[in-house]
Amino acid sequence: DVVLTQTPPTLSATIGQSVSISCRSSQSLLHSNGNTYLHWLLQRPGQSPQLLIYLVSRLESGVPNRFSGSGSGTDFTLKISGVEAEDLGVYYCVQGTHAPPTFGGGTKLELK
Amino acid sequence: EVQLVESGGVLVQPGRSMKLSCAASGFTFSSFPMAWVRQAPTKGLEWVATISTSGGSTYYRDSVKGRFTISRDNAKSTLYLQMDSLRSEDTATYYCTTAIHDYWGQGVMVTVSS
């Protein structure tokens, strides 16, 4: 199975600070069809996960544009340009290129 | 408004069975492959099973193969997860989600304990 390694496991930030989360894959996530099925989710405390970014860099409808995704192959990054209080929670990367789908271990974003 | 509403979670003894349901509304359910994802207490997310739009193809994580069955009724816009021979390590919140993770249910807690 593909292993997704997220760093850091915990991230402390102040409101307005820009932060980045890394997701590294044990295999290239480039599919033979040319797509890279790497997505980012946010799980706020006590809530279900929600999709933020899909296919590496595409912003899900309704998600603020302070969120952005980048990367290719095995290295991916989620950036938040100006953290807001509502952004606190656990961020997960997830891949769907290789069966079975796998999730990263999560990065907890908390207030400093 | 898109809604996925799970039901069926409860406390069950090891070795027993349980069936989860997920009622979908607000989108064309029959057009979406669907999945179950679980989260053990204080742990991360773990994929459990996926089903194709027609229900003709199903996929499972190794630890549940032969014990869990995912199915769907497109006429009722409902997804199911039949769980047999439950183990303590199956204790988790189970989420119904589209296979591309754009819609999620609120989750249902399943506790396997004697």
Side-chain angles (χ1 to χ4, degrees), chain B residues 22 42 68 83 92 107:
Chain B
C22 171
T42 73
F68 289 13
M83 303 185 291

Side-chain angles (χ1 to χ4, degrees), chain B residues 16-89:
Chain B
R16 302 295 293 267
S17 298
M18 178 185 296
K19 188 172 187 176
L20 305 182
S21 299
C22 171
S25 60
F27 67 106
T28 307
F29 177 76
S30 59
S31 297
F32 285 74
M34 297 294 295
W36 289 96
V37 171
R38 68 185 180 185
Q39 186 171 36
T42 73
K43 300 296 184 182
L45 301 170
E46 179 178 84
W47 169 78
V48 175
T50 298
I51 188 167
S52 62
T53 53
S54 67
S57 296
T58 56
Y59 311 88
Y60 301 92
R61 70 178 300 104
D62 287 346
S63 62
V64 308
K65 273 181 194 172
R67 300 190 299 121
F68 289 13
T69 303
I70 188 172
S71 62
R72 65 191 298 161
D73 185 335
N74 285 339
K76 294 183 178 179
S77 294
T78 302
L79 178 71
Y80 303 100
L81 185 67
Q82 174 68 44
M83 303 185 291
D84 300 323
S85 302
L86 282 160
R87 305 168 180 168
S88 58
E89 55 263 37

Side-chain angles (χ1 to χ4, degrees), chain A residues 15 44 66 83-89 111:
Chain A
I15 301 300
R44 296 186 175 97
R66 63 179 177 274
V83 168
E84 298 193 6
E86 66 180 19
D87 301 337
L88 304 184
L111 274 181

Side-chain angles (χ1 to χ4, degrees), chain A residues 30-82:
Chain A
L30 177 62
H31 194 278
S32 56
N33 66 11
N35 288 326
T36 299
Y37 296 93
L38 186 284
H39 323 299
W40 290 94
L41 309 172
L42 166 61
Q43 186 174 32
R44 296 186 175 97
Q47 295 188 18
S48 305
Q50 68 167 105
L51 182 65
L52 298 175
I53 302 280
Y54 63 99
L55 297 174
V56 179
S57 60
R58 301 185 187 185
L59 200 64
E60 174 70 354
S61 176
V63 174
N65 60 12
R66 63 179 177 274
F67 291 94
S68 62
S70 63
S72 64
T74 60
D75 289 345
F76 304 90
T77 302
L78 174 71
K79 182 176 181 180
I80 310 172
S81 300

Side-chain angles (χ1 to χ4, degrees), chain A residues 2-9 21-25 29 38-41 43 90-96 101-108, chain B residues 37-39 43-47 101:
Chain A
V2 171
V3 176
L4 297 180
T5 302
Q6 284 185 237
T7 54
I21 299 170
S22 170
C23 176
R24 289 191 169 172
S25 174
L29 297 183
L38 186 284
H39 323 299
W40 290 94
L41 309 172
Q43 186 174 32
V90 181
Y91 291 80
Y92 295 95
C93 54
V94 53
Q95 69 83 25
T102 50
F103 293 85
T107 294
K108 184 177 183 180
Chain B
V37 171
R38 68 185 180 185
Q39 186 171 36
K43 300 296 184 182
L45 301 170
E46 179 178 84
W47 169 78
H101 311 300

